[in-house]
């Protein structure tokens, strides 16, 4: 995988340990940020069109944690969690992201990929950038080749619909 675009979601690999996902959303950034950080709103977009969120917990403070879980339409359960490292309201969030694999030893939070999310408003729209920084090329490639792009496209479509409806 090198550089692809699905709809208006663009996925690039700027470094051996990075995945960069960008999309412009037709909603002001304070509403995109609100939809990104409010548990009851996250439940409405994070699973895309693939299942039902069963957990959306957010302790939005530096050192606070988050956990999302969903059951896909075919019964597969998947969950992620992490810790917030940096929060600038309406502008930037940095958090770790640990994939929970039942029956396997969990990656320590200190070694987990970092998600660096930025919200930039331009003319009433939001340029959303998600930089995923992994510890290795192997982990980056595993994530990039997992089918995440399709899921991200669905998530961002729903996120845009939801955020624009909040205004």
């Amino acid at each position: 995988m090198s550089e692809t675009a699905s709809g208006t979601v663009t996925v690039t690999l700027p470094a051996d340990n990075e995945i960069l996902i960008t999309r412009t959303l037709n909603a002001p950034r304070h509403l995109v940020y609100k939809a990104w950080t409010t548990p009851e709103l996250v439940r409405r977009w994070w699973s895309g069109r693939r299942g039902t969120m069963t957990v959306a917990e957010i302790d939005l403070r530096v050192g606070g944690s988050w956990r999302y879980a969903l059951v896909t339409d075919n019964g597969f359960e998947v969950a992620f969690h992490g810790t917030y490292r940096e929060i600038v309201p309406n502008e930037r969030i940095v958090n770790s992201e640990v994939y929970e694999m039942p029956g396997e030893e969990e990656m320590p939070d200190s070694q987990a990929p970092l998600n660096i999310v930025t919200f930039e408003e331009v003319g009433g729209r939001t340029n959303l950038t998600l930089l995923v920084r992994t510890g290795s090329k192997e982990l980056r490639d595993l994530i990039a080749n997992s089918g995440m792009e399709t899921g991200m496209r669905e998530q961002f479509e729903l996120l845009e619909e939801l955020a624009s409806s909040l205004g």
Side-chain angles (χ1 to χ4, degrees), residues 32-52:
V32 175
Y33 183 84
K34 181 178 180 180
W36 192 276
T37 59
T38 306
E40 52 272 19
L41 298 177
V42 170
R43 287 179 178 271
R44 295 168 55 185
W45 65 268
W46 194 81
S47 63
R49 302 183 200 290
R50 298 174 182 265
T52 304

Side-chain angles (χ1 to χ4, degrees), residues 31-38 41-42 45 58 68 84 93 95 117 119 128 130 152 156 159:
L31 297 179
V32 175
Y33 183 84
K34 181 178 180 180
W36 192 276
T37 59
T38 306
L41 298 177
V42 170
W45 65 268
I58 297 173
Y68 300 161
Y84 293 105
I93 299 172
N95 62 270
V117 186
F119 306 83
L128 179 65
L130 171 56
M152 295 293 301
F156 284 15
L159 176 62

Side-chain angles (χ1 to χ4, degrees), residues 8-117:
T8 55
V9 173
T10 301
V11 179
T12 59
L13 305 176
D16 282 351
N17 66 339
E18 294 179 341
I19 302 169
L20 179 63
I21 302 153
T22 60
R23 176 169 172 158
T24 299
L25 303 169
N26 191 22
R29 77 173 172 182
H30 74 281
L31 297 179
V32 175
Y33 183 84
K34 181 178 180 180
W36 192 276
T37 59
T38 306
E40 52 272 19
L41 298 177
V42 170
R43 287 179 178 271
R44 295 168 55 185
W45 65 268
W46 194 81
S47 63
R49 302 183 200 290
R50 298 174 182 265
T52 304
M53 294 282 296
T54 56
V55 176
E57 300 170 345
I58 297 173
D59 180 9
L60 190 62
R61 60 184 174 84
V62 174
S65 62
W66 65 276
R67 183 169 188 270
Y68 300 161
L70 73 99
V71 177
T72 66
D73 293 335
N74 62 7
F76 180 71
E77 294 183 43
V78 61
F80 298 85
H81 69 269
T83 304
Y84 293 105
R85 309 266 176 96
E86 180 183 339
I87 299 169
V88 180
N90 297 313
E91 292 183 20
R92 178 178 162 99
I93 299 172
V94 179
N95 62 270
S96 59
E97 180 171 329
V98 176
Y99 176 53
E100 299 177 12
M101 297 184 64
E104 294 197 19
E105 186 173 330
E106 194 167 280
M107 174 182 282
D109 189 76
S110 61
Q111 297 175 17
L114 278 184
N115 293 338
I116 302 164
V117 186

Side-chain angles (χ1 to χ4, degrees), residues 146-159:
S146 69
M148 52 78 74
E149 184 177 344
T150 302
M152 295 293 301
R153 182 182 55 217
E154 291 177 2
Q155 286 180 325
F156 284 15
E157 287 170 1
L158 293 173
L159 176 62

Side-chain angles (χ1 to χ4, degrees), residues 121-139:
E121 186 163 323
V122 177
R125 300 175 63 165
T126 302
N127 293 332
L128 179 65
T129 302
L130 171 56
L131 177 66
V132 180
R133 189 168 288 152
T134 66
S136 68
K137 181 180 185 310
E138 292 75 23
L139 182 55

